[in-house]
Amino acid sequence: MLSLTLVWVLILVGLGTPPAAWADSVFDPGRLSFSVTVNDRLTPYHTMLASVMPGKTLDIQLTGTHLREAFSVSAPGGQFSEKGRGGWRWHAPDNPGYYPLQITRRESNETLSLRVFVLVPATQVRDGRLNGYRIGHYPEKPFRGLAAYAAPTGFIEVTEENVRTQVSPHFRLGQFLSKQQSGYPKYLLLSPRLLTKLELLLEDVNAAGIRTNGFVIMSGFRTPFYNRLIGSSTNSRHMFGGAADIYIDDGQPRGMMDDLNNDGASDRKDAAILYDLAEDLPLRHGLPELIGGLGEYDARLPVRGPFIHVDVRRLRARWGRSPD
């Protein structure tokens, strides 16, 4: 397998040179010159998901020395109240749904778009269904008593109108839906911490000379119903909206991991490059809250190609790595 050091060596000697079409293209990470914390979670990007239960609040705090007076805020619903000199409290409406919230810096006109979803309470699930959509049943007791494995209190409602909503600079809401067949509405869990981890990995991939504007989300959220249907782990992080199976697919053939090391094949060695870049990502970016699981998978033709799994379970876990 290729170590991260070897990946950088390959790039330096030109084996990782991007295609000619990308020669003058610069990857835009989507960062702002300011950032906020939303319920103590840092949000440095111009677009980010947030969720809240009906009638509850989001605490929004400017970071650094920014003062509230230098910004304007707006939202189509809910109500803002001031919180100190550098923040606000947004009181969510009682009706679930999508409420885009904007924070604009007056001097530069930079805008942070918080894509806020007021959740449909999980208490509305009946016989494993929510408005006809198969959810299934979460374990009665959290795995090892860990809070990260507690059953969810609410779900994002996904409709034909909001399915393409941008929830971070390079990812859309619908990319993370469970793969089960159904009509709308559908329901979803999605962690903003997972989105942040994917955005940072995308930055690192581009910095390593692999030019791409996104990952294929082969598997994002899975309802317990679908997770059981495919025979996955009863405590899979996918059921909690904090995991994604990903690969890069900007070349030919489509539907398969790109040949990242230019050896003429799409195989586990390409998944290893992504694995190496994800390995120490939380440490590299100083964000221990992004610690989680990381797995490497070989192709299983003709069903799928190679990929990696990343999650934000807050515990370090590794599997699937084959020897060099």
Side-chain angles (χ1 to χ4, degrees), residues 167-180:
V167 289
S168 73
H170 299 93
F171 299 97
R172 298 184 308 277
L173 187 67
Q175 290 179 269
F176 296 89
L177 280 168
S178 185
K179 301 301 183 185
Q180 64 202 65

Side-chain angles (χ1 to χ4, degrees), residues 145-289:
L146 297 170
Y149 289 85
T153 57
F155 298 89
I156 295 172
E157 184 171 80
V158 183
T159 66
E160 290 182 277
E161 291 73 31
N162 69 25
V163 66
R164 295 187 62 81
T165 299
Q166 208 76 28
V167 289
S168 73
H170 299 93
F171 299 97
R172 298 184 308 277
L173 187 67
Q175 290 179 269
F176 296 89
L177 280 168
S178 185
K179 301 301 183 185
Q180 64 202 65
Q181 297 299 307
S182 77
Y184 289 94
K186 305 173 189 282
Y187 293 89
L188 171 70
L189 297 175
L190 180 56
S191 166
R193 288 188 295 114
L194 176 65
L195 289 169
T196 297
K197 190 168 189 174
L198 292 175
E199 289 288 351
L200 288 173
L201 181 57
L202 192 58
E203 284 187 58
D204 291 345
V205 164
N206 278 272
I210 302 168
R211 182 68 178 88
T212 182
N213 277 321
F215 302 124
V216 173
I217 309 297
M218 191 175 76
S219 182
F221 174 62
R222 298 178 195 154
T223 62
F225 159 74
Y226 184 74
N227 192 69
R228 182 177 181 180
L229 188 68
I230 63 175
S232 188
S233 165
T234 56
N235 295 296
S236 169
R237 291 308 304 164
H238 288 275
M239 297 193 304
F240 301 90
D245 297 337
I246 63 172
Y247 61 91
I248 295 173
D249 182 16
D250 286 310
Q252 298 295 331
R254 302 314 298 264
M256 191 77 69
M257 172 81 85
D258 285 350
D259 177 16
L260 302 182
N261 63 352
N262 294 331
D263 68 352
S266 171
D267 55 27
R268 193 164 185 159
K269 293 179 181 178
D270 302 300
I273 292 176
L274 275 187
Y275 184 105
D276 281 339
L277 288 166
E279 172 68 72
D280 296 319
L281 184 147
L283 177 63
R284 191 162 62 245
H285 291 278
L287 295 170
E289 64 269 24

Side-chain angles (χ1 to χ4, degrees), residues 5-309:
T5 301
L6 184 51
V7 171
W8 284 102
V9 170
L10 288 173
I11 292 163
L12 289 173
V13 299
L15 296 181
T17 302
W22 290 339
D24 298 322
S25 178
V26 177
F27 174 72
D28 180 5
R31 291 179 178 268
L32 294 169
S33 65
F34 67 94
S35 59
V36 303
T37 60
V38 180
N39 287 352
D40 297 323
R41 175 182 51 79
L42 184 66
T43 302
Y45 296 105
H46 62 58
T47 305
M48 184 51 67
L49 172 78
S51 61
V52 62
M53 291 293 287
K56 300 299 183 180
T57 60
L58 289 177
D59 286 333
I60 303 167
Q61 189 71 36
L62 295 163
T63 61
T65 59
H66 294 299
L67 298 179
R68 188 183 61 246
E69 290 77 11
F71 295 81
S72 63
V73 292
S74 65
Q79 185 176 359
F80 281 103
S81 61
E82 296 178 354
K83 183 188 176 193
R85 297 200 65 193
W88 305 266
R89 182 169 281 125
W90 184 72
H91 302 260
D94 293 329
N95 295 326
Y98 172 46
Y99 297 86
L101 184 158
Q102 292 190 330
I103 302 171
T104 301
R105 189 177 185 181
R106 292 190 176 98
E107 181 182 42
S108 62
N109 208 35
E110 293 177 280
T111 297
L112 164 60
S113 297
L114 281 178
R115 306 303 169 88
V116 181
F117 287 85
V118 177
L119 303 176
V120 176
T123 54
Q124 295 185 18
V125 176
R126 298 287 186 271
D127 297 323
R129 293 178 181 267
L130 183 55
N131 290 335
Y133 186 75
R134 293 286 294 269
I135 299 292
H137 301 278
Y138 283 85
E140 291 185 7
K141 295 182 179 180
F143 177 61
R144 296 181 180 175
L146 297 170
Y149 289 85
T153 57
F155 298 89
I156 295 172
E157 184 171 80
V158 183
T159 66
E160 290 182 277
E161 291 73 31
N162 69 25
V163 66
R164 295 187 62 81
T165 299
Q166 208 76 28
V167 289
S168 73
H170 299 93
F171 299 97
R172 298 184 308 277
L173 187 67
Q175 290 179 269
F176 296 89
L177 280 168
S178 185
K179 301 301 183 185
Q180 64 202 65
Q181 297 299 307
S182 77
Y184 289 94
K186 305 173 189 282
Y187 293 89
L188 171 70
L189 297 175
L190 180 56
S191 166
R193 288 188 295 114
L194 176 65
L195 289 169
T196 297
K197 190 168 189 174
L198 292 175
E199 289 288 351
L200 288 173
L201 181 57
L202 192 58
E203 284 187 58
D204 291 345
V205 164
N206 278 272
I210 302 168
R211 182 68 178 88
T212 182
N213 277 321
F215 302 124
V216 173
I217 309 297
M218 191 175 76
S219 182
F221 174 62
R222 298 178 195 154
T223 62
F225 159 74
Y226 184 74
N227 192 69
R228 182 177 181 180
L229 188 68
I230 63 175
S232 188
S233 165
T234 56
N235 295 296
S236 169
R237 291 308 304 164
H238 288 275
M239 297 193 304
F240 301 90
D245 297 337
I246 63 172
Y247 61 91
I248 295 173
D249 182 16
D250 286 310
Q252 298 295 331
R254 302 314 298 264
M256 191 77 69
M257 172 81 85
D258 285 350
D259 177 16
L260 302 182
N261 63 352
N262 294 331
D263 68 352
S266 171
D267 55 27
R268 193 164 185 159
K269 293 179 181 178
D270 302 300
I273 292 176
L274 275 187
Y275 184 105
D276 281 339
L277 288 166
E279 172 68 72
D280 296 319
L281 184 147
L283 177 63
R284 191 162 62 245
H285 291 278
L287 295 170
E289 64 269 24
L290 300 184
I291 289 172
L294 176 61
E296 180 185 299
Y297 293 82
D298 204 350
R300 188 181 292 170
L301 300 176
V303 179
R304 59 161 174 79
F307 67 94
I308 68 167
H309 167 106

